[in-house]
């Protein structure tokens, strides 16, 4: 974190879990324990030269390596250093991505029938947690950025209104920042939620770097949130699937949280992934700022250099924005063009060896990090400058934004946990208008459901899915990942109204 003293930095130079694994390897032990590759002695001949160094560290719970589910040694110390670095009272390593943390938090705060106030444009894991907990979601429609047409965060006044209308809600669960890097004023949001005596839970998957450089927004922990889940692998240097869960204050039942983490996490967690969390924390505290000092001016030059292109717009937070902060590491290209789509631009980029994070009809998102090189940025700038694209009138962007906002206003005809187990049938997507959806339709990335089980398909939702399908979007949560067909509740169940399926404000 910013402004820490010399003693803090001295402690943070340690990487206790990684150091213990290295000490064990140097002993040249005889591994009569799992895993079966025996520290790399038996492995695919062709792949061994790539994996050998990692396989030596791929250990299990033996003397000296501690146990993630009952940490008392080097894992406990590594988690304590992480808590200190991220400003939390307690940190838990997650070997299963932020998904595990989101599930555990929702199961911790909600019992069957409990209400939870949720941002509608949240990750699919939040919906899965609600279904597993059999909780009743109160959905908050996000504000839509008129300049780009994408959904941002929720307004404080909408959260306040929901809390007044549902005083029995057990928690507020928000996403900050969004996939696109847009954020809200979390300090003020936490004050609103805490006035009602319940916890504020934050999916901070894309904000593990927040608070570690003056150019970045404050983190959820710095802003007073009760719990935050971070994908330490997304924007900083941990390996894929490696995440952290940070907790502070007394509004979270930590013993209940530990029990659910024990149920949801593997009993054979990867020591390689846990060690990468240990090292990512150390790198974040001791080395990353210098790398960002190099990178951030280059990102500014990229935006300045390509900002003259009439067909391209770089979003930024301003007085009229619906978001309060914007992550400078997110290169969010808003295309003001009539002759190229985001899907087409992604395809063109990939032909030139540039692989973005995601695209849609009018945007391409690229995620930079401390690992982004000047060569990467130069290749991107040259490609963008080489394109000659005609520009549409500005009013088209406002119309698009209005359509985007409608994606979050669908009728929840049947509770999610009821709909997932109800009798279903498969029909052509084009025939689904008015039907109750039986599966979660998730364009991936970003992994935000546009329909959830129990919602009724409307004309705007169907039109959007047809457009995404034309753009060859990948879909998760559905039986047919090409979305030629979709599963809906059987016609005899279409009038089913048992229970309350979630409220929208």
């Amino acid at each position: 974190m910013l402004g820490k003293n010399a003693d803090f930095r001295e402690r943070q130079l340690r990487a206790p879990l990684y150091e213990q694994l290295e000490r064990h390897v140097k002993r040249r032990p005889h591994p009569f324990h799992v895993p079966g590759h025996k520290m790399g002695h038996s492995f695919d001949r062709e792949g061994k030269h790539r994996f050998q160094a990692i396989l030596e560290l791929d250990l299990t719970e033996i003397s000296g390596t501690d146990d993630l589910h009952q940490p008392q040694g080097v894992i406990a110390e590594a988690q304590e250093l992480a808590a200190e670095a991220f400003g939390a009272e307690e940190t838990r390593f997650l070997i299963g991505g932020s998904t595990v943390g989101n599930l555990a938090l929702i199961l911790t705060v909600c019992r069957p029938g409990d209400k939870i106030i949720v941002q509608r444009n949240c990750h699919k894991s939040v919906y899965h947690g609600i279904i597993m907990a059999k909780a009743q979601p109160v959905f908050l429609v996000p504000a839509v950025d008129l300049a780009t047409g994408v959904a941002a965060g929720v307004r404080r006044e909408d959260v306040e209104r929901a809390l007044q209308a549902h005083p029995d809600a057990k928690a507020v669960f928000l996403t900050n920042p969004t996939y696109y890097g847009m954020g809200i004023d979390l300090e003020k949001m936490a004050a609103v939620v805490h006035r009602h005596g319940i916890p504020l839970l934050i999916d901070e998957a894309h904000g593990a770097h927040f608070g570690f450089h003056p150019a970045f927004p404050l983190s959820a922990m710095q802003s007073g949130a009760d719990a935050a889940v971070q994908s330490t692998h997304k924007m900083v240097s941990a390996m894929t699937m490696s995440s952290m869960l940070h907790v502070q204050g007394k509004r979270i039942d930590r013993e209940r949280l530990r029990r659910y983490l024990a149920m949801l996490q593997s009993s054979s967690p990867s020591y390689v992934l846990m060690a990468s969390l240990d090292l990512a924390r150390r790198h974040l505290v001791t080395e990353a700022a210098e790398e960002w000092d190099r990178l951030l001016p280059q990102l500014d030059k990229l935006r300045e250099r390509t900002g003259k292109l009439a067909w391209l717009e770089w979003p930024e937070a301003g007085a009229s924005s619906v978001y309060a902060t914007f992550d400078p590491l997110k290169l969010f290209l808003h295309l003001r063009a009539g002759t190229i789509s985001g899907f087409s631009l992604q395809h063109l980029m990939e032909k030139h060896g540039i692989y973005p994070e995601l695209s849609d009809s009018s945007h391409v998102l690229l995620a930079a990090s401390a690992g982004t090189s000047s060569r990467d940025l130069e290749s991107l700038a040259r490609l963008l400058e080489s394109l000659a694209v005609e520009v549409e009138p500005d009013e088209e962007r406002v119309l698009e934004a209005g359509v985007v906002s409608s994606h979050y206003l669908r009728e929840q005809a049947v509770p999610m946990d009821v709909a997932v187990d109800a009798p279903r049938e498969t029909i052509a997507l084009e025939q689904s208008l008015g039907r109750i959806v039986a599966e979660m339709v998730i364009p991936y990335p970003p992994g935000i459901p546009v329909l959830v089980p129990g919602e009724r398909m409307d004309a705007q939702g169907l039109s959007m899915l047809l457009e995404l399908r034309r753009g060859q979007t990948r879909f998760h949560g559905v039986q047919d990942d090409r979305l030629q067909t979709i599963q809906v509740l059987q016609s005899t169940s279409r009038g089913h109204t048992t229970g309350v399926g979630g409220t929208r404000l």
Side-chain angles (χ1 to χ4, degrees):
M1 286 295 191
L2 299 175
K4 295 293 185 178
N5 58 30
D7 289 342
F8 166 83
R9 293 188 64 82
E10 182 68 25
R11 288 191 299 275
Q12 291 291 319
L13 288 173
R14 295 279 324 280
L17 175 56
Y18 169 73
E19 291 162 3
Q20 176 60 26
L21 298 183
E22 286 285 15
R23 282 193 295 270
H24 186 77
V25 169
K26 289 177 181 177
R27 294 179 61 195
R28 301 186 66 185
H30 304 287
F32 285 93
H33 56 75
V34 298
H37 60 70
K38 305 301 181 188
M39 299 178 69
H41 294 301
S42 174
F43 201 70
D44 178 81
R45 186 176 303 160
E46 183 178 344
K48 191 171 184 178
H49 75 285
R50 285 283 189 188
F51 282 83
Q52 181 62 52
I54 292 294
L55 292 172
E56 290 181 335
L57 303 179
D58 187 25
L59 298 169
T60 189
E61 294 86 356
I62 56 178
S63 296
T65 62
D66 207 359
D67 185 337
L68 178 64
H69 295 286
Q70 197 68 39
Q72 298 176 338
V74 290
I75 294 176
E77 187 180 351
Q79 291 184 149
E80 288 166 5
L81 286 171
E84 180 184 48
F86 287 91
E89 292 177 1
E90 182 178 353
T91 291
R92 306 286 293 193
F93 286 176
L94 305 176
I95 309 304
S98 288
T99 291
V100 171
N102 288 342
L103 295 176
L105 279 178
I106 292 170
L107 287 163
T108 296
V109 299
C110 289
R111 289 170 171 79
D114 283 348
K115 293 180 183 177
I116 182 168
I117 296 172
V118 181
Q119 183 170 332
R120 178 57 178 84
N121 58 326
C122 58
H123 189 260
K124 61 180 180 178
S125 58
V126 176
Y127 292 91
H128 292 157
I130 293 169
I131 292 171
M132 291 169 67
K134 297 185 183 298
Q136 181 183 335
V138 177
F139 289 126
L140 297 177
V141 178
V144 174
D145 176 43
L146 293 180
T148 60
V150 301
V154 296
R155 301 177 181 88
R156 288 197 306 279
E157 54 266 34
D158 290 337
V159 173
E160 181 72 69
R161 190 179 304 116
L163 289 167
Q164 291 173 353
H166 302 276
D168 53 344
K170 300 301 182 182
V172 173
F173 200 118
L174 304 180
T175 301
N176 193 78
T178 67
Y179 203 106
Y180 301 98
M182 298 170 175
I184 60 176
D185 187 330
L186 268 186
E187 286 186 289
K188 293 181 179 178
M189 184 66 77
V192 168
V193 175
H194 291 161
R195 280 202 302 269
H196 293 263
I198 61 174
L200 174 61
L201 315 178
I202 300 297
D203 180 345
E204 199 174 26
H206 290 264
H209 56 303
F210 280 14
F212 285 93
H213 191 280
F216 303 148
L218 295 178
S219 70
M221 289 290 98
Q222 289 172 312
S223 301
D226 299 275
V229 180
Q230 295 176 336
S231 293
T232 322
H233 63 95
K234 290 190 187 302
M235 301 299 292
V236 292
S237 58
M239 294 177 69
T240 299
M241 282 183 69
S242 308
S243 298
M244 295 187 191
L245 169 59
H246 308 297
V247 183
Q248 63 185 357
K250 298 180 179 180
R251 297 182 183 90
I252 303 292
D253 184 340
R254 298 192 200 178
E255 185 55 41
R256 184 174 167 87
L257 176 61
R258 292 187 193 104
R259 289 200 302 271
Y260 276 111
L261 284 173
M263 294 178 196
L264 295 167
Q265 299 234 75
S266 171
S267 59
S268 301
S270 166
Y271 274 78
V272 173
L273 297 187
M274 288 190 288
S276 84
L277 286 171
D278 200 15
L279 292 172
R281 180 269 313 156
R282 182 169 73 179
H283 176 264
L284 197 54
V285 173
T286 63
E287 301 174 42
E290 184 177 336
E291 296 172 352
W292 288 322
D293 285 340
R294 170 195 58 79
L295 173 68
L296 290 166
Q298 295 183 46
L299 296 180
D300 290 339
K301 289 179 181 177
L302 171 71
R303 292 184 174 96
E304 181 181 358
R305 179 173 167 182
T306 58
K308 301 172 185 177
L309 301 173
W311 57 273
L312 175 62
E313 183 174 350
W314 292 98
E316 56 184 29
S320 61
S321 301
V322 296
Y323 49 96
T325 63
F326 191 82
D327 182 0
L329 298 186
K330 289 297 180 76
L331 302 177
F332 183 30
L333 282 60
H334 175 52
L335 312 181
R336 303 171 58 187
T339 58
I340 190 170
S341 71
F343 299 118
S344 299
L345 180 56
Q346 177 178 354
H347 182 67
L348 184 61
M349 285 179 171
E350 290 175 351
K351 278 188 172 182
H352 288 78
I354 299 169
Y355 291 85
E357 178 70 16
L358 68 81
S359 65
D360 59 30
S361 60
S362 55
H363 309 98
V364 174
L365 176 67
L366 304 97
S369 78
T372 301
S373 69
S374 55
R375 175 176 171 270
D376 297 332
L377 298 176
E378 179 63 25
S379 296
L380 175 61
R382 286 184 178 178
L383 175 61
L384 296 177
E385 289 173 333
S386 72
L387 301 179
V389 183
E390 297 179 6
V391 179
E392 283 184 345
D394 283 350
E395 54 265 23
E396 292 296 326
R397 296 153 57 203
V398 177
L399 289 174
E400 179 184 309
V403 172
V404 171
S405 67
S406 69
H407 297 339
Y408 300 102
L409 298 173
R410 221 157 277 110
E411 175 195 355
Q412 186 83 40
V414 177
M416 285 193 292
D417 61 287
V418 174
V420 293
D421 289 325
R424 58 183 63 191
E425 58 186 318
T426 301
I427 62 173
L429 177 63
E430 290 83 354
Q431 298 174 356
S432 63
L433 184 64
R435 298 296 296 271
I436 298 174
V437 176
E439 49 190 357
M440 199 171 290
V441 185
I442 311 165
Y444 200 89
I448 297 170
V450 295
L451 281 112
V452 299
E455 286 188 327
R456 193 181 301 278
M457 180 75 77
D458 59 19
Q460 290 167 330
L462 178 57
S463 175
M464 174 190 56
L465 291 179
L466 291 171
E467 180 182 357
L468 289 171
R469 189 179 70 181
R470 285 193 294 270
Q472 298 184 329
T473 297
R474 290 181 295 146
F475 292 93
H476 285 190
V478 291
Q479 187 179 63
D480 178 4
D481 61 3
R482 296 181 302 156
L483 215 61
Q484 300 298 317
T485 62
I486 190 169
Q487 291 192 330
V488 297
L489 299 195
Q490 285 185 2
S491 56
T492 55
S493 301
R494 277 193 289 172
H496 179 77
T497 56
T498 301
V500 179
T503 307
R504 278 174 171 72
L505 293 176

